[in-house]
Structure formats: C-alpha cells, structure tokens
Amino acid sequence: MKQSQNNITSSLNALDLIVEEDAEKAKLGAEQQLLLSEALHFKYGIAYSKLIISTSLWHLLKYQAGFAIAKDLLTLHQELDNDDLLPSILHNLALHSWGQAKLYSAQQYWIQALEQASLLGNNKVEVESLIGLGNIWRMTNSLENAKSAHNIAAQRANYYRIPHLEAKAFILYAWDCYLLQDYQAMLPVLFKAEQLLSNSNNLTWKSEVYDFRGLAFLGLNDLNSAHQCCSYAHQTAQQHNLVWMKAHSAISLARIASAQSHYAHAYDLLTQAEVIAHQFDKGELRSQICLEQSRIAELTQDYEHALYSYKRYRQYEVSLIQEQTNSLGRDKTRSSKEQLERRAKKLIQRIEIQLEFNSISSLTYLLPLDKWQQHVKSLLSHSTNMDYHLITITDPSEDKINNLILLGHHYCKHGDSMTRISKTEVSLLINENEQRTQEIVHSLSSLFSSYPWHRYSLNSSIPSVNYFNLHQWGSQPDFSPSHLDSQVVF
C-alpha cells in the first residue's frame, strides 16, 4: 500500500512539472492517478490529482470547470494531515475567478493564498499571489498599487531565484508603466525580462516582451521600431497559435497603423483581434478594440460607426463593472472592498519591509533529510534529465555544520534543494549540467579555503567538496553520498 502511494505521489510530481508546457497531457495523466488514488482511498493523492486537473483547466481556459474542482478541493484538504496544498488550492481559486472576471473574489483568494504561502514557505505561490493582486489593481484602475505589487513580486522572485516568475512580474510591471504613460521606464524593464527568459520555452511571454516594447516605442513616437517589435510579436503568436497574443499583438499593430494614418488596415486588424478575443475574453480586450474602432471611425469622419463602436465599448465596460459589483456583493458577507484593500496592502507592506531589511528567517531550500531523499528518488524514478548533480560538503568538525549550511544555501536557486546528511556533512541537489556544477564546486572550494574558520571553530581545517551525477549516485546500493566515490574532489 505504502509503495503504491509513493508511486502515485512521484507520478503526480512529474505531471506537475509539465502542466504549463502540455496542460492536456498533464490533465489526462492526473485523471489516471485520481482513479488509482480513489481505489486506494489515498486522500493526498486524490487532492493532488484534482489540483493538477484544476491547474490544467486554467491553462485550457476552462475556468468554470476548474473553479468547481478547486472549490471541492478546499473542503477535501481539511481531511489531509497537513496544509501543504492549501496555498496552491487558494491560488487556483483566484485564477479561475480572475478568468471569469470575478475580480473581488479573485482578490480575496489571492490574499488568503499569499498569507498561507508566506506561512508555509511556498515561494512560487507567494510570488504568483503578489502578481495576481497587482493584476486586480490594474483592472480596477489602481495603477500605482499595481505597479508597486508587480515590482515587489519581481524582487521576491529574484530573491528566491525563480527567473521565469521574475520575468512575468517585470512584463506586468511594464504594462503598468504603459497605462501610466511612462513609456521610457518600460524599455529597461522589458530588457531584463528578455534576459531572464533566454532559457525559457514560454513563447507567450517572449512575444509579450516584444509587443509591449513596441507599445513603448509607439508612446515615444518611434513608429518604425514600434512596428518591427509588434510585427515580430504577431508573427510569433501566429506561428505558434498563441491565442491571447494573436489578439493583443493585432491590437498593438492596429494602434501603430492608425498612428501612420493607415486607417483601413488598422480597422482590419481590430476586426481580426475581436474574432480571436471572442474565444476567451470577458470584455477587457474587446472593450479596448471597440474604443479603438470608435476612435478610427471618428478620424475618418464616419461618425455613425464611431457612435456604434463607442456604445459597444460602453456595454463591455458596464458589463465588467456590473460583474465587479456583483462579485463584491457576494464577498460582503465576509469582508468589504475597503477591508480587502487594507488587508492586501498590509501584506505587501510587510513583504516590502522584509525585502528592505533582507530578513527572511527561514532557509528556503533546506529540507529535512527524509523529504529531500523522497524528492531525489522521485527524480530518479521519473526523470531522465542528466542535468542534476549532487554536491557534498564535509568536514570532521561538528561545530562548522551551521556555517556550511548557510554558505551552501547561497548557491541554491529555484529547483535546487539541500539537506543535512549528518553532523559533519551537507548535500546540495543542483539542477545544472556538469560544467556549471564544476564551476559551483570550484567557487565553494575557493570560498572555504579563504573563509576565517578560526573565528567559528577550534578546528581550522578546510571542508572538502565533492560532486557526482544524480543518476550515478542512484545506481549505488546505498543511497548515501558518503558511500559513493565522487568524480572529483577539490
């Protein structure tokens, strides 16, 4: 029974890693694991399976179905032994509420997700919740609050070394700047985002970088640069069928065409964008499209069409405001809009203070030995990726162990982990290829050679640093780094 449950958990961990890249595949795999979990009455497996299914439905733009599953999970998680899944459940509820334009419900769930993520050390959900709250403020026209939240999210992601979320926060920060008409500030931010995404497969974000860069150039009246950037974004979106970006980049190109007095072409682009947006948009994009259509019609003295388009713009705007009002009315049983705003701002202010004084108390990447070993075994069972290496740091003096943990922890980033093997040994699991692992090992060895050990220990010996490939270690009968001859010792 225990082995079957471990196998289910390992399989779900593997599916969780691919949900953004292939949501349909992750959903099908999670549905299979759900059936197995239900047959074994494995509650954690049932909850985790449903969480992955709900997340997959978000990526597949099926918000109502995803929300229903996440809502069911909120009740189910109370039967679990711990709250590890709770931040992600609340984040999913927020995402699906956001997808349905239920902004205040989304805000409430993101506040709860941020609180739980901070409490339980779920770094990813913490950053995603900050991003989500920033998006709520953008949609409710609190642009300075949105900009502040996205800036703090980027700083937090940088601290946790989660580059793709740092890039996401920077892209949204640039959009806040655009709405505030601070076009010059957008360019360096988008350059940072592009650098952070250099090794990412997320073509939507890469396309957004070029689209928003084009809008920045448009705001600065550099129409040639604007057209080049937005054309590249539109071509990428069409080539890879990026639905959101196909619509958004078409709107951007229409704005540029209008600035060049190519009104007929601009109108055609807006018509294309509206057809695409109809597949997923609740009014945010289509209201922009109608307003732009009205403006173009007015410029071409087609006043009848200008009025018609403006009326449609107002219909979308009124519909969004009505939904926000209805959502707020449903939320008032627990908290008013003003209370939600204060709660969100207090949370963000607390995080801002932590960033200012660099006072995060926990070591984010340090895991208990048993959890660390489970994670490693899961990778060995379900990953053929050779870009995982183990680094061990050993020293005969027990009073150095805390220093070794602190120093080693600074070399970790998102995807890495470390543990205390014994009173004299620390092990780091690094998601890097051999060349970069060697560079880390060399850096650690140089650091330990120059470190003033005499200030912290009676024994001033220099710790030894070893490394080896994860799969080489996994092939040994004894899963302990101490029992494997390393490839190299510095």
Side-chain angles (χ1 to χ4, degrees):
M1 175 74 78
K2 186 66 175 176
Q3 184 60 44
S4 298
Q5 292 179 351
N6 289 341
N7 289 340
I8 289 171
T9 302
S10 296
S11 297
L12 289 170
N13 286 336
L15 290 169
D16 207 4
L17 295 173
I18 67 166
V19 71
E20 289 189 17
E21 297 176 11
D22 194 339
E24 191 63 52
K25 182 178 179 181
K27 177 175 171 290
L28 292 173
E31 286 171 345
Q32 293 174 353
Q33 297 305 316
L34 176 60
L35 293 174
L36 293 173
S37 298
E38 288 174 336
L40 294 172
H41 303 287
F42 179 31
K43 290 182 179 178
Y44 179 80
I46 293 170
Y48 196 2
S49 299
K50 288 187 174 183
L51 179 60
I52 293 174
I53 293 169
S54 179
T55 306
S56 301
L57 289 170
W58 156 255
H59 289 286
L60 295 169
L61 311 181
K62 298 178 180 178
Y63 306 127
Q64 288 185 330
F67 182 85
I69 292 172
K71 194 69 174 176
D72 177 55
L73 267 174
L74 199 57
T75 302
L76 179 61
H77 103 276
Q78 297 174 12
E79 301 176 23
L80 303 180
D81 295 334
N82 57 59
D83 289 334
D84 289 352
L85 296 179
L86 183 56
S88 296
I89 294 169
L90 292 165
H91 174 51
N92 264 25
L93 284 165
L95 283 175
H96 290 299
S97 297
W98 166 261
Q100 296 175 78
K102 297 177 180 178
L103 301 186
Y104 293 112
S105 294
Q107 185 180 40
Q108 183 168 318
Y109 285 126
W110 265 319
I111 288 170
Q112 294 175 22
L114 181 57
E115 289 171 334
Q116 291 296 324
S118 300
L119 183 66
L120 297 170
N122 190 324
N123 308 330
K124 183 175 181 291
V125 170
E126 181 183 336
V127 176
E128 289 277 23
S129 299
L130 287 166
I131 289 172
L133 288 171
N135 287 341
I136 295 291
W137 275 317
R138 186 189 73 245
M139 284 292 291
T140 53
N141 209 34
S142 296
L143 297 178
E144 289 293 347
N145 286 330
K147 183 179 172 184
S148 175
H150 289 141
N151 182 38
I152 292 168
Q155 292 181 59
R156 206 60 159 167
N158 177 269
Y159 186 90
Y160 291 138
R161 298 178 179 88
I162 314 178
H164 69 286
L165 288 185
E166 186 180 359
K168 180 180 180 181
F170 274 138
I171 291 169
L172 291 164
Y173 178 87
W175 184 239
D176 300 330
C177 290
Y178 175 75
L179 295 175
L180 288 164
Q181 299 183 357
D182 189 358
Y183 308 121
Q184 194 66 54
M186 294 173 68
L187 296 175
V189 171
L190 291 169
F191 179 72
K192 288 180 185 177
E194 185 177 19
Q195 288 181 310
L196 289 163
L197 292 172
S198 58
N199 296 318
S200 172
N201 295 322
N202 194 318
L203 294 172
T204 296
W205 290 352
K206 290 183 176 182
S207 181
E208 277 186 329
V209 167
Y210 275 88
D211 186 49
F212 290 172
R213 184 177 286 152
L215 289 175
F217 283 126
L218 175 62
L220 295 168
N221 206 32
D222 183 350
L223 299 185
N224 288 334
S225 298
H227 188 266
Q228 288 177 2
C229 290
C230 290
S231 294
Y232 179 81
H234 193 58
Q235 288 167 10
T236 302
Q238 288 184 313
Q239 184 179 351
H240 299 281
N241 194 31
L242 310 175
V243 180
W244 160 261
M245 279 311 302
K246 281 200 293 186
H248 202 281
S249 58
I251 297 170
S252 299
L253 284 171
R255 286 175 171 150
I256 296 166
S258 177
Q260 295 170 326
S261 301
H262 299 155
Y263 300 123
H265 182 50
Y267 208 91
D268 287 343
L269 286 164
L270 290 170
T271 302
Q272 294 172 27
E274 187 172 9
V275 171
I276 298 166
H278 188 73
Q279 301 175 40
F280 62 87
D281 182 56
K282 297 294 181 182
E284 182 185 9
L285 275 185
R286 281 183 283 178
S287 65
Q288 291 181 41
I289 291 167
C290 291
L291 185 60
E292 194 67 21
Q293 286 173 332
S294 176
R295 193 181 67 82
I296 291 171
E298 188 174 2
L299 287 170
T300 56
Q301 298 182 348
D302 185 354
Y303 300 117
E304 184 178 348
H305 212 142
L307 179 61
Y308 170 73
S309 295
Y310 189 78
K311 284 181 177 179
R312 292 184 64 222
Y313 157 72
R314 287 298 298 157
Q315 286 176 347
Y316 284 124
E317 286 291 291
V318 168
S319 178
L320 284 171
I321 293 169
Q322 184 65 49
E323 178 52 52
Q324 293 173 24
T325 304
N326 292 340
S327 181
L328 176 58
R330 290 191 292 270
D331 287 342
K332 272 186 176 176
T333 56
R334 295 183 62 184
S335 58
S336 69
K337 176 182 182 295
E338 292 76 16
Q339 288 172 325
L340 283 174
E341 291 283 315
R342 284 196 297 270
R343 193 168 157 199
K345 287 176 183 177
K346 282 181 181 179
L347 277 171
I348 290 174
Q349 186 180 41
R350 189 181 70 195
I351 291 170
E352 197 169 14
I353 291 170
Q354 287 180 335
L355 284 166
E356 184 178 350
F357 293 100
N358 196 24
S359 60
I360 295 178
S361 59
S362 62
L363 295 178
T364 309
Y365 304 102
L366 181 65
L367 300 178
L369 180 58
D370 57 343
K371 283 195 173 183
W372 184 83
Q373 288 176 329
Q374 287 175 11
H375 176 54
V376 172
K377 288 179 181 179
S378 175
L379 287 174
L380 287 167
S381 301
H382 294 89
S383 175
T384 57
N385 184 358
M386 302 302 288
D387 286 346
Y388 272 98
H389 285 78
L390 287 171
I391 297 175
T392 61
I393 306 169
T394 57
D395 189 276
S397 179
E398 294 182 13
D399 56 2
K400 290 182 183 175
I401 189 69
N402 287 335
N403 296 74
L404 294 178
I405 290 171
L406 287 168
L407 294 171
H409 192 270
H410 286 296
Y411 283 77
C412 293
K413 67 174 185 179
H414 184 66
D416 301 341
S417 60
M418 67 181 300
T419 194
R420 177 173 169 170
I421 298 293
S422 68
K423 293 180 179 179
T424 60
E425 183 176 8
V426 175
S427 188
L428 284 73
L429 175 66
I430 302 292
N431 185 10
E432 293 289 2
N433 59 33
E434 184 171 357
Q435 180 182 344
R436 291 188 175 179
T437 302
Q438 286 180 358
E439 292 170 359
I440 293 171
V441 170
H442 187 271
S443 177
L444 279 166
S445 300
S446 299
L447 172 63
F448 294 155
S449 297
S450 59
Y451 198 77
W453 293 113
H454 62 277
R455 299 189 65 193
Y456 308 102
S457 172
L458 295 174
N459 187 335
S460 59
S461 60
I462 298 173
S464 61
V465 187
N466 307 331
Y467 87 93
F468 35 85
N469 182 274
L470 174 63
H471 289 270
Q472 179 190 358
W473 174 63
S475 67
Q476 301 300 307
D478 187 338
F479 272 23
S480 170
S482 302
H483 291 81
L484 180 61
D485 292 331
S486 63
Q487 291 180 357
V488 66
V489 180
F490 283 79

